[in-house]
Amino acid sequence: MTGAKRLPSGYLARGVPGDYDGSVELPDAVHEKFCQLVAAGAQHTSAIRQAHPKGDQLKTPVQSARALYDKEHIKRRIRWLREQKARTFASDEGIFEGFIAATERTMEAIAELVELCRNEGLAREATAARAALGSLAGRTFTHRDSMAKADQQGRFEATRAKLILKEILD
C-alpha cells in the first residue's frame, strides 16, 4: 500500500487501541459525532451527513455510513453509549430524571430551531417548529406527570420499566 500509513499492531484505528471498550471519546471528531448521533437513534445516513464536515456534499452517504458503521471501534463506542443511556434511564433515581433531561434537550433544540428560522426570515418554518414544540411540550408534561403520579401511588414498577428499557435499547 503506497501512500496509506499502516496502523501499529494491536490498534483498531488511529489512537484507538485494540482493547478499546467504547467508554472513552474517540479521537476522530467525525467518528465521535457519528457514534453519538447513531446511539441517540439517528439513521446511519443522516448521522454521516451531520457528522462529516462536507456531509451534504457526500456522493455516496449510504456507502460512507455503512463503511464507518462496520468499523469495530465505531460499533464498540455506539454500544457503550447506548448502554450508558440505558443505565441512566434504568437506575432507580434516574428513570424520571433521564426522561425529563432527554425531553428538555429535545425541546431546547426545537426552540433553537425556531430562533434560527426567525433570524433567517423563515416565518412559515418558525411557526411550524413552534407548533411542534408546543405539541411536544404538552404531551411530555402530561406523560411525565402521569408517570410521577403512578410512581407515587406505587402502581409503577421500576424493575419492569428497567427490563423494557433494556430490551428497547439493545
Side-chain angles (χ1 to χ4, degrees), residues 5-6 13 24 55 73 82 85 94 104-105 113 169:
K5 292 183 182 177
R6 295 194 117 161
V24 178
H73 67 288
R82 286 178 175 164
K85 185 185 296 187
E104 284 176 354
R105 282 192 307 273
L113 177 63
L169 295 170

Side-chain angles (χ1 to χ4, degrees), residues 92 95-96 150-151 154-164:
D92 287 332
I95 194 161
F96 295 117
D151 185 47
R155 294 188 322 219
F156 186 78
E157 189 180 326
T159 53
R160 174 137 169 72
K162 287 180 191 178
L163 291 172
I164 292 169

Side-chain angles (χ1 to χ4, degrees), residues 5-162:
K5 292 183 182 177
R6 295 194 117 161
L7 290 172
S9 178
Y11 277 76
L12 296 174
R14 276 179 277 154
V16 183
D19 63 350
Y20 177 69
D21 66 354
S23 63
V24 178
E25 192 172 300
L26 292 169
D28 185 309
V30 172
H31 290 188
E32 179 63 24
K33 188 168 183 181
F34 177 81
C35 292
Q36 294 278 345
L37 291 165
V38 171
Q43 297 293 321
H44 297 171
T45 306
S46 172
I48 193 69
R49 283 188 175 129
Q50 291 178 55
H52 197 280
K54 296 181 181 178
D56 291 335
Q57 298 169 2
L58 289 174
K59 292 183 181 179
T60 58
V62 174
Q63 291 86 347
S64 298
R66 173 53 54 197
L68 193 54
Y69 183 77
D70 284 343
K71 295 178 184 285
E72 186 61 29
H73 67 288
I74 299 293
K75 289 180 181 179
R76 291 179 187 183
R77 181 67 175 151
I78 292 169
R79 185 179 321 114
W80 188 89
L81 290 167
R82 286 178 175 164
E83 288 170 358
Q84 184 63 26
K85 185 185 296 187
R87 282 189 289 276
T88 300
F89 276 109
S91 68
D92 287 332
E93 67 280 349
I95 194 161
F96 295 117
E97 288 80 4
F99 171 75
I100 291 167
T103 54
E104 284 176 354
R105 282 192 307 273
T106 302
M107 287 188 276
E108 287 170 5
I110 296 174
E112 195 175 309
L113 177 63
V114 170
E115 189 62 30
L116 286 170
C117 289
R118 210 180 294 144
N119 291 341
E120 295 296 321
L122 303 169
R124 184 176 29 188
E125 289 82 356
T127 302
R130 193 177 312 110
L133 178 60
S135 176
L136 174 65
R139 291 177 184 177
T140 297
F141 294 134
T142 300
H143 292 302
R144 183 194 68 192
D145 294 343
S146 296
M147 286 171 48
K149 228 181 257 180
D151 185 47
Q152 289 169 354
Q153 296 171 358
R155 294 188 322 219
F156 186 78
E157 189 180 326
T159 53
R160 174 137 169 72
K162 287 180 191 178

